[in-house]
Amino acid sequence: MKSDDIALSVRPSVVWLDLDDTLIDFHAISLIALRLLYNEASLDRWIPSEDTWVKDYVASNTDLWRRYALGEVTREYLRIERMSAPLRPYFTGSADELHSLADSVDPLYLDLMARQKQLMPGAMDLLAGLRERNYRTGILSNGFEQVQYRKMDTAGISSYIDITVLSDHIGINKPALGIYRHAIELTGQLNPGRHLLVGDNLSTDIAGAVNAGWTAVYFDRNSELPVSYNGSYYTINSLTELLRLLPD
């Protein structure tokens, strides 16, 4: 199917958007916050370089979020372990002291990250286009409640969002069907086919939306392929391409 022929025939009642690495450039703001944290928390007392800290943190954090989405670890375990894991090979104190340090450092990291405002390319154009065409927009995110709203405010996108559903608030993570059902019930539009989700993660955003009967749009920002549809979900490589898919 040619990309020019691809378009939705039914107007979605709600366009849901993942937040991190879909609208907000989470990778960029996280790296900035991690480097600031290395200095502000004096992590050079244990870890030999800023680059080592960042590399080790990213490796452990990526796996922890995968396990968190699957329900294998709790929010509190993720919060403490993502800071403990990179420090553990170098830390000379006890396990309790390491836990205490991680517990104190994590809120500082979240605060530093919430101060950053980098959006993904095209994010503001997409939100403005959706608002101009009178689409109802929502956020559906697995991120922590204490920082997601601040990130949205800092990035200047809160006024474009009509409804926000956070897994941290309801205790259900994407891709579990429960979070999609909760989102539907909040909107009052109970037909799953009238809900659309855009996200960057195939195993959480897209798999969950497809299983819930939603229209799913995979944001594959590393691809240069044209807009496509594989029978289960659409693929776009820039956020503004979504506007081409949607009916006026």
Side-chain angles (χ1 to χ4, degrees), residues 219-235:
F219 174 38
D220 184 9
R221 62 187 179 279
N222 296 318
S223 170
E224 295 183 357
L225 296 175
V227 177
S228 62
Y229 180 66
N230 68 1
S232 297
Y233 58 86
Y234 297 85
T235 298

Side-chain angles (χ1 to χ4, degrees), residues 30 34 39 43 49 67 81 94 107 139 163 185 190 208:
S30 177
L34 287 170
N39 293 295
L43 298 183
S49 73
R67 295 170 62 193
E81 184 61 18
S94 67
I139 293 294
I163 187 168
E185 291 170 1
L190 302 182

Side-chain angles (χ1 to χ4, degrees), residues 93-112:
S94 67
D96 286 345
E97 289 171 328
L98 177 59
H99 184 284
S100 179
L101 175 62
D103 188 42
S104 65
V105 165
D106 188 69
L108 177 56
Y109 163 68
L110 293 178
D111 179 65
L112 290 167

